[in-house]
């Protein structure tokens, strides 16, 4: 099973600042099957990025994903008030799906 | 509008069974794989089970934590997927979400239900 480790656990930033979230896999992620989700309290997750770098429909272009192999990054360029939330990375391989433990982006 | 709606959650005693339903609207459920996820109170997301589409034999996959106890199925004629949960344990307490795979390879999930709460307690 591929284990995903996200860092940092919490990011305290102000609106307008940029956020960089990291996701490291315990082994290489198959064919870049790496996705990022945003979750707000009491809501279902929302897909932001799939295939490591492709934005999902409706994802603002201030969100960008990058990386390959075992190291992946989600960058939010210029935080908007609605971006404060928990972010999860997720991978698919060997007929299993696993998530990282999440990064909370909170308002400073 | 494309959406998924879960139902069937509630309070159940340990060792008992519960069946969750996931009904799709705005699209044809049968064209997409479906997955179930859960989130225990205050915890992160956990994958539970997955069912492929007809052309892939409707085959299923399960997380080790539920294998042998949970069963994912689908009735494409009813646009509904199911999660049958047997031999429930206290640690199965969570909000359960169904979701639609974005692509046939099932690498990401673009439509999610609102979730249904399952509480396992005596």
């Amino acid at each position: 099973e591929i284990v995903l480790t996200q860092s940092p656990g919490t990011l305290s930033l102000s609106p307008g600042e940029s956020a960089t979230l990291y996701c490291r896999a315990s082994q290489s992620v198959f064919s870049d099957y790496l996705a990022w989700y945003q979750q707000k309290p009491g809501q279902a997750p929302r897909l932001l990025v799939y295939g490591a770098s492709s934005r999902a429909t409706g994802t603002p272009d201030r969100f960008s994903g990058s990386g390959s192999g075992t190291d992946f990054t989600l960058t939010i360029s210029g935080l908007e008030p609605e971006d404060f939330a928990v972010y999860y990375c997720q991978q698919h391989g060997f007929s299993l799906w696993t998530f990282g433990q999440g990064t909370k982006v909170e308002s400073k | 509008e494309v959406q998924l709606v879960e139902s069937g959650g509630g309070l159940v005693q340990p060792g008992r069974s519960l069946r969750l339903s996931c009904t799709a609207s705005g699209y044809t459920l049968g064209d997409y794989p479906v997955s179930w996820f859960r989130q225990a109170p205050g915890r992160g997301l956990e994958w539970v089970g997955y069912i492929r589409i007809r052309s892939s034999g409707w085959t299923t996959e399960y997380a080790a934590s539920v294998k042998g106890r949970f069963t994912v199925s689908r009735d494409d004629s009813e646009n509904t997927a199911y999660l049958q949960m047997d031999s429930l344990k206290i640690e199965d307490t969570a909000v359960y979400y169904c979701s639609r795979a974005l692509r046939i390879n099932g690498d990401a999930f673009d439509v999610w239900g609102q979730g249904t709460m399952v509480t396992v307690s005596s």
Side-chain angles (χ1 to χ4, degrees):
Chain A
E1 174 181 319
I2 297 178
V3 176
L4 298 179
T5 302
Q6 292 186 241
S7 62
T10 303
L11 265 178
S12 297
L13 296 167
S14 300
E17 291 189 298
S18 291
T20 302
L21 288 64
Y22 301 95
C23 177
R24 172 163 285 181
S26 59
Q27 56 187 290
S28 188
V29 174
F30 179 73
S31 193
D32 293 337
Y33 283 176
L34 192 287
W36 290 92
Y37 299 84
Q38 175 194 70
Q39 188 179 33
K40 297 179 180 179
Q43 296 185 17
R46 170 196 172 193
L47 177 66
L48 296 175
V49 169
Y50 65 95
S53 60
S54 297
R55 274 187 288 271
T57 301
T59 300
D61 58 10
R62 63 181 179 273
F63 291 89
S64 62
S66 63
S68 64
T70 60
D71 292 291
F72 299 88
T73 302
L74 177 70
T75 302
I76 312 171
S77 301
L79 282 162
E80 296 288 342
E82 62 267 28
D83 299 337
F84 293 99
V86 178
Y87 293 83
Y88 295 94
C89 58
Q90 170 248 307
Q91 71 82 36
H92 165 44
F94 306 106
S95 296
L96 296 173
W97 288 258
T98 56
F99 289 88
Q101 80 280 19
T103 290
K104 182 178 182 179
V105 178
E106 65 178 20
S107 182
K108 185 188 289 185
Chain B
E1 180 190 5
V2 172
Q3 65 175 357
L4 293 168
V5 176
E6 300 100 339
S7 60
L11 174 63
V12 61
Q13 293 178 325
R16 303 299 290 264
S17 299
L18 204 61
R19 189 178 81 157
L20 306 182
S21 300
C22 169
T23 301
S25 59
Y27 78 100
T28 301
L29 183 85
D31 291 341
Y32 296 84
V34 172
S35 194
W36 288 89
F37 299 91
R38 67 185 180 184
Q39 188 168 35
R43 306 295 296 272
L45 296 165
E46 180 187 13
W47 167 68
V48 172
Y50 178 86
I51 185 164
R52 297 179 177 86
I53 61 173
R54 178 184 178 184
S55 61
S56 299
W58 294 305
T59 52
T60 54
E61 308 291 347
Y62 297 96
S65 58
V66 306
K67 199 168 188 177
R69 299 189 299 122
F70 288 13
T71 303
V72 179
S73 62
R74 62 194 300 160
D75 184 340
D76 292 339
S77 67
E78 295 291 329
N79 244 22
T80 300
Y82 302 97
L83 179 66
Q84 175 69 39
M85 303 184 293
D86 298 323
S87 303
L88 282 160
K89 304 176 181 180
I90 290 175
E91 53 264 40
D92 294 321
T93 294
V95 175
Y96 284 73
Y97 297 100
C98 64
S99 65
R100 180 183 86 168
L102 175 68
R103 303 184 287 190
I104 294 299
N105 63 19
D107 64 323
F109 300 90
D110 66 335
V111 179
W112 292 66
Q114 83 287 356
T116 187
M117 183 71 202
V118 172
T119 303
V120 184
S121 174
S122 53

